[in-house]
Each structure stands twice: as structure tokens, then as C-alpha cells.
Amino acid sequence: MKFGGTSMAGIERIRSVAARVKREAAAGNQVAVVVSAMAGETDRLVGFCREASPLYDPREYDVVVAAGEQVTSGLLAIALQAIGVPARSWLGWQLPIHTDDAFAKARIGTIDTDALDASLSAGEVAVIPGFQGVSANGRITTLGRGGSDTSAVAVAAAMKADRCDIYTDVDGVYTTDPRIVPRARKLAKVTYEEMLELASVGAKVLQTRSVGLAMKENVRIQVLSSFTGDDAPMADTLPGTMIVGEEEAASKENGDVERQLITGIAHDKNEAKITLTSVPDKPGSVAAIFEPLAAANINVDMIIQNIAHRSAGSGDNGSTSATDVTFTVPAADLPRSIEALNQARGTIGFGDLIHDTRVAKISVVGVGMRSHAGVASTMFTTLGARGINIQAISTSEIKVSVLIHEDETELAVRVLHTAYGLDADEAA
């Protein structure tokens, strides 16, 4: 069981979590719990580090920010003991959870579970702080923002758990954001691949890295809400959304003969569009654009290269033809992208650099795309019928994404949700 920061925000909520854990333990389950820091606490600790020194040592930074989860793990163990549940906390170095030494963004290698298994067999509930581990030389490490989901999946894999229940402030994965489309439906099952795509294109339910690990280790994840009453169904009755392998997701439960063609529609307004004009149309030009961005660790998403045209003053042989190249980057990386490109301007040889943050990425995702034609056509026709202009397109085997003006985000999501037959009969 994994509980996020909003679930652990204060003693009353921690008591509520303890009551939920007690129900699972009383049902005969061996339970390990992974907890996040209280909501806002990690940001507070990060602020202290920056205040102490803008050029802080990342090793000491990890010592400071790991403290948030240490507090909540101890408090939950105390709350469980207070209601008669044998429990103890296990810090990352006590299990231990072995990581590399990339401080502030460490990756988990192995987890020793001998002590944990003995504790569970003795009837104890294990409470483990998420987000942290220990390097080979004994230094505390942290996994980067959102790392508690990854911790939970890694612990579940190491202890060969039947399931990893991730409790959050939503009660499952929906076909789209219910705040935009009241008729959005909660999905019973989603494949790892679909969840990876949804998470990468804007759905904020699970962290991408945790889903990738679950897929690699074949850990079944269930997304549940921790904000339900004491009379809510037990997790074993599967009231949330299961993230599973494609074979299990395609099983004919609930009388479904075939899975839904489209699983969900995601949107992301945290995109910025950059256009470089008059880029020389010659081998190596595109590489010259993206090499400095890669060196700055900036992820490029959609890319369009226009048909080459002759630049002003070109000769009859067309040897000085040029093209425009458009691509998107995360909005937060726009200033660094502009700086990197301008520094490489002499090498690239572009004319103007035009940028726009008033864009949004809309994506339709579903493994059914593999065996059905016309998914992209439906998307383009639907948006065109409502006068929504498409500025860029990118695809994968199970995803089609388009870039549009941000003011048309909600309209695009609604009309596509209806076009793919995802609307529930009644509003949620």
C-alpha cells in the first residue's frame, strides 16, 4: 500500500491511513506500506537547502529532503501501534534499498528483503519511507520528485507482492479528466503501455518511471482514492483501476468481447513550440539543431520539417535552399532551449527563432489502435469539423498526439471523447 503526500497531510489523515491499513491486515494480508512526506513538506525542505546555499552539495541535499518521509513513516507506525496493529518503520538504509550514487535522482538497483520478510511473517506491518535509498558507500540517496511511487513498485517487486495499491486523491484512471468531461468513465483495467503513454502526455495519476518499472517487473498496480469513508469497499474488491499486462487487460471479464479501441484522452498545456526559419537544407542541419538541446538535457517531443524552399538570393541551381523546422519542448525548458539554440546559431545557420507557449498537446491512447485503422483520421476530422487547427502531429504504435492552441484544449478533449464513444451514459 502506498500513500501520497495529501493522504499523509496531518495527524488526522495519518490516523485515517492507519485505519485503512488495519482493515487490510485484519483481512489476513501481509502488508508493507510506503509513504510520502506530508504535502508541501519536500518543497519546504528544498527551500531550506537553497536558502543555505544555491550551490548546495547534492549529498547533503538528499539527507535533508529524505527527512520528510522519515517523519511520516515513524508517525504512521505510531498511529498503527495506537490502534493495536504491530508495526515498525524501516528506513531506506535499514532494509536496505540499494541505489546508484546519482544523488537527488538515484535509481534503485536491488532491495534486500530478508529482514522485511521476517518482520511480515511475524505479523508486523512494515512502514517504509518512499523516495529514498542508500548508495554503495552508505550515503542516503533520493530518487527524484515523484519517487515514492517508484519506491512502492520496487518494494512490491522485491517482496513478490500480489499487488501494489497506490492511494491518491483520485479514485482511479478515467477516460479523460472528469473536470473537463463530466461523462468521463473510470476504467477497470489499463495496460502498462497505455498508462506509460497517458502519463507521458499529461495524465498526472502515476509517475512515468514507476509504471515503466511495474511493466519491467510485472507488478500489478491498483490506483485507489484514500479519501473515501470507512464503509468504502475493501481494496480486494477492486474498486479502483488496475494497471496490468496486456493479456490480463484483454481478458473477457465483464462480458467484453473486445477491448475499447481508445482507452483515454490526455491533455498537456506544459508545452512550448519553437520554429527555426531558413535552416539550410543540407545533410547535418537537423542534427546541428538537436545536439545542443540534447547536451542541455532538454527533451524534444513533436518535430516538423517543412518542404524546402529557396532562400532569398539563391542561385538557379537551388544550392542555397532552406527549410523551416518546428518542434516542441517542455514549457519550463523554453528559456534554456532558446539560449542553447542562440549559442549554436552560427553552426545551425537559422534565420529567426519564433516561440509560442500558448499551445497544448492533445493525445488519444489505446492498444486497440494496433489492430484498427482510422483512429488518426477520426481525430483530424473531428477537430477540423469544430474549426480547431492542428499545428503539429506525432504518433506511436498506440498513441496519436496533436498540438493545438491552448484556448481550444477543453473543446478538443470534449469532442474527441464523444467521437471515440467514451462518454458514460450518466455524468460522473
Side-chain angles (χ1 to χ4, degrees), residues 42-273:
T42 302
D43 287 338
R44 190 175 75 95
L45 296 172
V46 169
F48 285 151
C49 291
R50 289 174 176 160
E51 225 178 295
S53 170
L55 300 174
Y56 52 74
D57 182 340
R59 295 168 296 185
E60 303 303 343
Y61 168 93
D62 277 2
V63 172
V64 175
V65 298
E69 281 75 10
Q70 179 171 326
V71 169
T72 49
S73 60
L75 288 173
L76 180 56
I78 291 170
L80 284 164
Q81 292 164 5
I83 57 175
V85 179
R88 68 152 289 181
S89 61
W90 294 89
L91 301 185
W93 60 267
Q94 290 174 316
L95 284 176
I97 297 172
H98 299 286
T99 74
D100 60 20
D101 59 359
F103 296 95
K105 53 184 176 183
R107 301 191 75 84
I108 296 173
T110 59
I111 300 177
D112 293 345
T113 61
D114 292 346
L116 179 61
D117 291 339
S119 174
L120 294 173
S121 297
E124 286 184 333
V125 168
V127 185
I128 303 165
F131 177 61
Q132 65 174 249
V134 61
S135 69
N137 62 1
R139 299 294 302 246
I140 290 175
T141 57
T142 64
L143 310 183
R145 300 311 295 261
S148 291
D149 282 353
T150 304
S151 296
V153 172
V155 169
M159 61 188 285
K160 296 179 171 55
D162 295 323
R163 198 175 69 240
C164 177
D165 287 346
I166 294 185
Y167 287 83
T168 180
D169 52 2
V170 296
D171 63 348
V173 180
Y174 280 75
T175 48
T176 196
D177 188 339
R179 292 169 297 184
I180 294 177
V181 182
R183 291 183 179 276
R185 291 184 291 108
K186 185 167 71 174
L187 297 160
K189 291 178 182 175
V190 176
T191 70
Y192 297 124
E193 287 179 281
E194 289 170 329
M195 196 66 237
L196 271 174
E197 291 282 18
L198 287 167
S200 70
V201 295
K204 301 293 191 289
V205 179
L206 286 176
Q207 196 231 13
T208 308
R209 187 169 152 197
S210 66
V211 182
L213 180 60
M215 184 175 176
K216 175 175 171 284
E217 300 292 340
N218 200 30
V219 174
R220 301 168 77 241
I221 298 177
Q222 183 177 201
V223 178
L224 299 148
S225 172
S226 56
F227 298 100
T228 52
D230 294 338
D231 58 347
M234 290 283 287
D236 283 333
T237 61
L238 306 183
T241 298
M242 291 293 298
I243 318 296
V244 294
E246 191 168 339
E247 190 174 321
E248 182 177 348
S251 65
K252 295 181 181 179
E253 291 180 20
N254 305 320
D256 291 339
V257 178
E258 278 195 283
R259 293 195 73 243
Q260 182 82 37
L261 170 61
I262 297 300
T263 297
I265 298 170
H267 68 282
D268 187 0
K269 293 184 179 180
N270 298 312
E271 294 268 315
K273 182 177 72 168

Side-chain angles (χ1 to χ4, degrees), residues 263-391:
T263 297
I265 298 170
H267 68 282
D268 187 0
K269 293 184 179 180
N270 298 312
E271 294 268 315
K273 182 177 72 168
I274 296 174
T275 298
L276 300 182
T277 68
S278 301
V279 176
D281 184 32
K282 63 182 182 180
S285 288
V286 173
I289 294 171
F290 296 115
E291 280 172 358
L293 296 175
N297 288 317
I298 295 167
N299 290 323
V300 175
D301 186 9
M302 301 172 162
I303 303 172
I304 301 173
Q305 183 170 352
N306 296 335
I307 297 172
H309 53 82
R310 291 191 185 178
S311 57
S314 61
D316 292 337
N317 60 7
S319 59
T320 57
S321 63
T323 184
D324 297 339
V325 179
T326 298
F327 53 92
T328 62
V329 297
D333 288 334
L334 179 60
R336 292 196 303 125
S337 301
I338 293 171
E339 182 182 11
L341 291 166
N342 280 330
Q343 285 181 352
R345 187 173 198 141
T347 304
I348 302 169
F350 62 86
D352 294 322
L353 188 159
I354 304 164
H355 60 86
D356 185 3
T357 57
R358 296 166 301 168
V359 294
K361 180 169 63 175
I362 309 295
S363 306
V364 296
V365 176
V367 292
M369 289 187 199
R370 289 187 178 133
S371 54
H372 291 78
V375 172
S377 175
T378 298
M379 185 180 200
F380 304 153
T381 302
T382 302
L383 295 177
R386 299 306 293 262
I388 298 172
N389 184 46
I390 295 172
Q391 303 178 26

